[in-house]
Amino acid sequence: MPGFGELDGVVSDGDRIMHFGDAFREQRRLADGAALAPLRDRTVIEVSGPERLTWLDSITSQSVGHLAPGESTELLVLDPQGRVEHAAGVLDDGTSTWLLADAGDAEALAGWLTRMKFRTQATVDVRPDLTLIGYIDGGAVAPTASAAAFAPNGSPLIWADPWQRISSGGHQYAEVAEHPAADYAWRVAILSADAADALATSIDRDALAGLLASEALRIAAWRPRWSAEVDERSLPHESDWIRSAVHLNKGCYRGQETVAKVHNLGHPPRRLAALHLDGSDAVLPEPGAAVFAGDDEVGHITSVARHHEDGPIALAILSRRAPVGDLVVRADGIDIAASQQVIVPADAGAMADIPRLTRLSRRPSAPDPRSTGVGS
């Protein structure tokens, strides 16, 4: 049976399906819960074994030791300095834990987990035979029946993105009355190859959406992902990722000291911002395009899309000292005006106001010669 990529009119970038012929129409239908998006840019990792959850809890940023079957969350793997190395959605079915990772990170994440097993009773397997389908929950279209064809523990594997709200143990830096993620009820179903092929031949063409559509909705919800917002310097604070992927009250894990220090005492050196771009020149900058405040380069674009309602939008990582006003994005020699919406404030963090105490000494201080006449 033909898969999604073999349908007529599909526009692809390598293995990734970008759209099925009309990216804007697909985006509107996806937002309304009336379309499904094949996610060929992501890969599943299966972690099985009786110690899988306690082990993952001990080496990642999230509290997953008591994750119930069917419960979803996400985790980060940090280096000793608290920088993000890997990221994955997490879903447990009572027998296995399913990690949903960006395709470019899956092999590296699985390799790191395998090296960290030691004597742990757990196995790690990359599952390229499985297909991921994204959709907005609550609409008329959902792949639940197709997901039921692959249900190792008796129920469909459907990951609910925790970004929609602040997770237990998390913290939100964005100072907004209503976060744009409130309506982002993003779900990802894990399907067998046969079920995915059957779905591709049975579903109406109008009920399919490509990555251009799903990425536009993600960017509009300010949702970070490993393949876009993460570089060698990234701290979870910078992209407000503590909101959903870090449990601030769990036990020790690699990088925890930096997470706590930056959250409680310092400010992240960079910050994520949302940009509304001027579309009059019909130029959409590529990720990596420089962002300027006047003559000063203050950051770069990480994700960009054309939104069906908001027009050209982007996420950008900026210097903490970047001004909060309007900015300019430079692409192909053209300066594009960018209206900034602050996601992570420059003073993000709990910032405990600890009073400075006078230092005490065991011995009396030397008399001030100005008051005693000594040396005059």
Side-chain angles (χ1 to χ4, degrees):
M1 289 183 290
F4 294 103
E6 286 70 48
L7 298 176
D8 292 337
V10 171
V11 175
S12 301
D13 179 6
D15 291 333
R16 304 183 304 162
I17 299 174
M18 304 310 294
H19 65 82
F20 289 87
D22 189 339
F24 278 126
R25 187 170 187 274
E26 294 166 23
Q27 188 184 142
R28 288 191 292 268
R29 292 184 65 82
L30 185 63
D32 290 339
L36 305 178
L39 304 176
R40 289 187 170 182
D41 60 340
R42 302 167 208 210
T43 303
V44 180
I45 301 170
E46 181 183 4
V47 182
S48 56
E51 297 178 339
R52 66 189 185 283
L53 288 176
T54 55
W55 170 60
L56 289 172
D57 185 274
S58 70
I59 60 175
T60 70
S61 65
Q62 189 56 270
S63 177
V64 298
H66 301 286
L67 196 67
E71 187 177 357
S72 300
T73 185
E74 70 172 326
L75 57 77
L76 302 175
V77 173
L78 308 178
D79 74 6
Q81 288 73 44
R83 294 184 291 254
V84 178
E85 289 191 335
H86 309 287
V90 184
L91 173 66
D92 195 80
D93 67 3
T95 300
S96 293
T97 301
W98 305 88
L99 304 182
L100 285 64
D102 285 345
D105 186 38
E107 290 289 348
L109 172 57
W112 183 84
L113 290 172
T114 300
R115 292 193 298 274
M116 293 298 293
K117 281 196 317 177
F118 303 109
R119 296 179 180 272
T120 303
Q121 297 183 56
T123 59
V124 179
D125 296 295
V126 179
R127 296 294 304 272
D129 57 307
L130 300 177
T131 297
L132 298 176
I133 303 292
Y135 64 101
I136 295 293
D137 192 31
V141 176
T144 306
S146 298
F150 179 70
N153 199 37
S155 60
L157 297 177
I158 298 178
W159 177 69
D161 191 342
W163 184 253
Q164 191 173 8
R165 57 187 59 88
I166 305 171
S167 297
S168 174
H171 182 91
Q172 177 179 300
Y173 290 148
E175 299 173 351
V176 290
E178 184 174 355
H179 199 286
D183 297 324
Y184 187 64
W186 186 242
R187 303 291 184 266
V188 178
I190 302 175
L191 309 186
S192 66
D194 288 344
D197 287 343
L199 180 63
T201 58
S202 64
I203 195 169
D204 191 297
R205 180 62 170 266
D206 289 340
L208 291 174
L211 288 176
L212 291 179
S214 60
E215 280 294 278
L217 300 188
R218 175 187 71 83
I219 295 167
W222 302 350
R223 209 274 187 253
R225 62 179 295 187
W226 178 90
S227 63
E229 277 64 55
V230 172
D231 60 24
E232 69 280 356
R233 299 170 51 197
S234 295
L235 298 173
H237 317 68
E238 297 175 338
S239 53
D240 214 5
W241 225 338
I242 292 180
R243 170 188 173 88
S244 60
V246 176
H247 197 294
L248 292 170
N249 300 318
K250 63 164 286 185
C252 185
Y253 58 92
R254 190 172 71 165
Q256 182 190 29
E257 183 177 354
T258 298
V259 168
K261 181 178 179 180
V262 174
H263 177 66
N264 290 304
L265 299 176
H267 309 306
R270 302 183 299 176
R271 59 181 183 85
L272 190 67
L275 303 181
H276 290 265
L277 306 175
D278 179 12
S280 57
D281 288 318
V283 175
L284 194 67
E286 295 286 335
V291 179
F292 287 83
D295 294 330
D296 298 326
E297 185 173 341
V298 295
H300 66 276
I301 296 291
T302 57
S303 298
V304 63
R306 296 188 188 276
H307 192 268
H308 69 286
E309 292 180 341
D310 299 332
I313 58 174
L315 296 176
I317 287 288
L318 307 177
S319 165
R320 181 167 63 87
R321 294 179 174 81
V324 299
D326 291 344
L327 301 169
V328 169
V329 177
R330 191 160 295 163
D332 298 328
I334 298 174
D335 285 352
I336 304 169
S339 175
Q340 177 187 177
Q341 188 169 7
V342 174
I343 298 177
V344 177
D347 59 355
M351 297 173 300
D353 186 12
I354 303 174
R356 294 181 179 273
L357 300 178
T358 303
R359 290 184 178 272
L360 301 179
S361 174
R362 292 181 179 273
R363 59 184 181 182
S365 59
D368 187 342
R370 291 172 299 178
S371 61
T372 61
V374 177
S376 56

